[in-house]
Amino acid sequence: MPDAVTVRLIIDDPVPGVRYSLQKDDLPFEPRTAGNGPIAFELPITLHPDGRMTGPFVRREGPQRRFVYIRIGTSAGDHASIWSRRAKIDIHDIPKTLLLPDAVLEVHLPGRGKDGSPASATVRPVAAWQAVERR
């Protein structure tokens, strides 16, 4: 039977007033508008004995790459936004030593690009993945 972990994505410095959401089935999921502090999303990931990662939020590219999307602005359902972006967060490179049953894994992500707009495309963590608890 596959194991499960919870992934917590924390956007440290999102652009206030911009809507963010996870992407599930190519649609926004649980959108929320950023304020002046961090914004976090939690999602389940299923770990298979053969090393595959699956789940309703997991996307794949090629045989190895697995990632999740954070939708931003109009992509997150705010049709009045000037932003229409997605941030791609790689999960295939989470250290195997952290992928334990019922673990809660956390990563901090930058909220803004160099120009101050919402970070998008492939977004790299600002610090390494860490296990913060077990459920």
Side-chain angles (χ1 to χ4, degrees):
M1 182 167 171
D3 293 318
V5 298
T6 299
V7 169
R8 183 178 300 141
L9 306 172
I10 301 170
I11 303 170
D12 285 336
D13 188 25
V15 178
V18 174
R19 187 175 298 169
Y20 294 80
S21 74
L22 289 172
Q23 178 172 308
K24 181 179 180 185
D25 301 324
D26 295 325
L27 296 169
F29 181 80
E30 295 185 353
R32 57 193 76 156
T33 302
N36 290 321
I39 189 169
F41 295 96
E42 284 194 7
L43 57 127
I45 294 178
T46 302
L47 305 172
H48 296 270
D50 62 3
R52 289 179 304 123
M53 297 175 152
T54 62
F57 301 96
V58 177
R59 301 288 175 257
R60 61 181 241 168
E61 188 174 283
Q64 301 297 321
R65 189 174 192 190
R66 299 295 180 269
F67 59 91
V68 297
Y69 277 126
I70 295 176
R71 297 171 74 98
I72 302 163
T74 60
S75 295
D78 180 1
H79 301 293
S81 178
I82 61 171
W83 311 111
S84 184
R85 299 180 173 183
R86 290 189 303 184
K88 183 185 280 189
I89 315 304
D90 286 324
I91 59 170
H92 64 273
D93 55 5
I94 296 173
K96 302 293 183 225
T97 56
L98 298 180
L99 296 174
L100 301 172
D102 302 319
V104 177
L105 307 178
E106 186 175 277
V107 70
H108 288 263
L109 304 164
R112 302 175 197 226
K114 292 178 183 175
D115 64 355
S117 67
S120 61
T122 299
V123 175
R124 303 284 179 217
V126 296
W129 287 91
Q130 62 180 342
V132 293
E133 61 185 270
R134 298 223 17 210
R135 292 188 175 165

